[in-house]
């Protein structure tokens, strides 16, 4: 699938437009979400996760958006574990 098709998919799922290109660059390079390195990134990640999660069909584990959400959830949990 082409980058622009993923872009449309991520925007439709609620990804903020000003973050889509950076997120997709990392997604294509590493297959998931980037590490969370600050409290501000953590708060942003939680907000994005909540919005995008509401748009993913239950049981969808394979679409690019679902794969991104799964990896973002892992990054959020890793940040919370580190902060505890």
């Amino acid at each position: 699938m082409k980058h622009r098709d993923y872009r449309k998919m991520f925007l439709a799922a609620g990804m903020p437009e000003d973050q889509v290109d950076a997120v997709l660059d990392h997604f294509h390079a590493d297959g998931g979400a980037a590490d969370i390195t600050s409290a501000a990134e953590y708060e942003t990640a939680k907000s994005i996760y909540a919005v995008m999660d509401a748009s993913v069909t239950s049981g969808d584990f394979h679409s690019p958006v679902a794969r991104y959400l799964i990896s973002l959830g892992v990054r959020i949990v890793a940040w919370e574990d580190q902060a505890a």
Side-chain angles (χ1 to χ4, degrees):
M1 192 172 279
K2 296 180 182 175
H3 188 76
R4 68 177 177 269
D5 294 332
Y6 277 38
R7 189 175 205 292
K8 289 178 189 174
M9 208 180 296
F10 276 59
L11 286 170
M15 172 68 64
E17 188 166 357
D18 64 340
Q19 296 182 21
V20 171
D21 290 328
V23 164
L24 286 178
D25 287 345
H26 192 277
F27 181 74
H28 287 303
D30 294 330
D35 288 337
I36 297 171
T37 60
S38 70
E41 287 179 3
Y42 169 70
E43 292 301 325
T44 300
K46 285 194 326 179
S47 297
I48 290 170
Y49 185 92
V51 171
M52 291 181 73
D53 186 48
S55 73
V56 175
T57 306
S58 178
D60 176 6
F61 302 109
H62 302 289
S63 73
V65 171
R67 291 191 328 252
Y68 176 78
L69 278 173
I70 291 166
S71 69
L72 183 60
V74 168
R75 302 295 190 208
I76 290 169
V77 169
W79 178 266
E80 291 170 347
D81 287 347
Q82 171 194 348

